[in-house]
Amino acid sequence: MVRHIVWDDSFKVDHHLIDSQHKRLFAMVDELYNFTLKTQEQQKEDIMMVLQECVKYTVFHFSAEEELMDKINYPAKTSHVKQHTEFKIRVTEAIHDYSRGNKVKIDDLYSFLTEWLVHHVTKVDKALGLYASTHNLQEEPEES
């Protein structure tokens, strides 16, 4: 049985734009959780759409974080971006495997996504949020 993860305030990095994007990412990953409760046949119908949307939004979010890192001259940018790149590669490989008809265990994929997201937000992004707040960065308006 997979562990269900949902957004709560413990995941806040205290940067409004990044927190709002993280909430959306958690909601997207939560959609995948619903697939873990379905049979394999039921999963096939919508899983590609959810995965592709998740990747698309993740790329958008990573770009926003990396732009923030550039604005504040974030000293840990290289290692942070490396984690983003590794994540994109892993998820893209899973999508390609799934689209080629290779069996992708949705439980394993969901577990990877939630474990990565929780670790990345609570450790890596919190450090970014703290650095940004100590450098008096004016936040961007909330996304529409």
Side-chain angles (χ1 to χ4, degrees), residues 20-31:
S20 68
Q21 291 177 358
H22 284 163
K23 286 179 188 177
R24 184 157 178 208
L25 285 170
F26 272 78
M28 292 175 146
V29 171
D30 191 52
E31 286 185 55

Side-chain angles (χ1 to χ4, degrees), residues 56-68:
K56 181 180 171 185
Y57 191 77
T58 299
V59 168
F60 166 77
H61 168 68
F62 287 170
S63 293
E65 279 190 1
E66 292 165 16
E67 185 177 312
L68 170 63

Side-chain angles (χ1 to χ4, degrees), residues 61-88:
H61 168 68
F62 287 170
S63 293
E65 279 190 1
E66 292 165 16
E67 185 177 312
L68 170 63
M69 289 182 238
D70 287 338
K71 284 182 182 177
I72 62 175
N73 199 23
Y74 188 52
K77 180 183 178 192
T78 301
S79 63
H80 196 132
V81 171
K82 183 179 179 192
Q83 287 189 24
H84 288 173
T85 302
E86 290 168 353
F87 178 84
K88 288 185 281 190

Side-chain angles (χ1 to χ4, degrees), residues 103-115:
K103 190 169 184 164
V104 174
K105 289 186 70 181
I106 196 65
D107 291 10
D108 292 344
L109 181 58
Y110 175 80
S111 292
F112 165 75
L113 291 172
T114 56
E115 288 169 17

Side-chain angles (χ1 to χ4, degrees), residues 39-63:
T39 66
Q40 194 121 18
E41 280 303 310
Q42 292 170 318
Q43 289 177 6
K44 286 181 181 178
E45 294 177 19
D46 299 315
I47 197 166
M48 270 310 270
M49 181 183 70
V50 171
L51 286 172
Q52 289 172 336
E53 182 63 25
C54 189
V55 167
K56 181 180 171 185
Y57 191 77
T58 299
V59 168
F60 166 77
H61 168 68
F62 287 170
S63 293

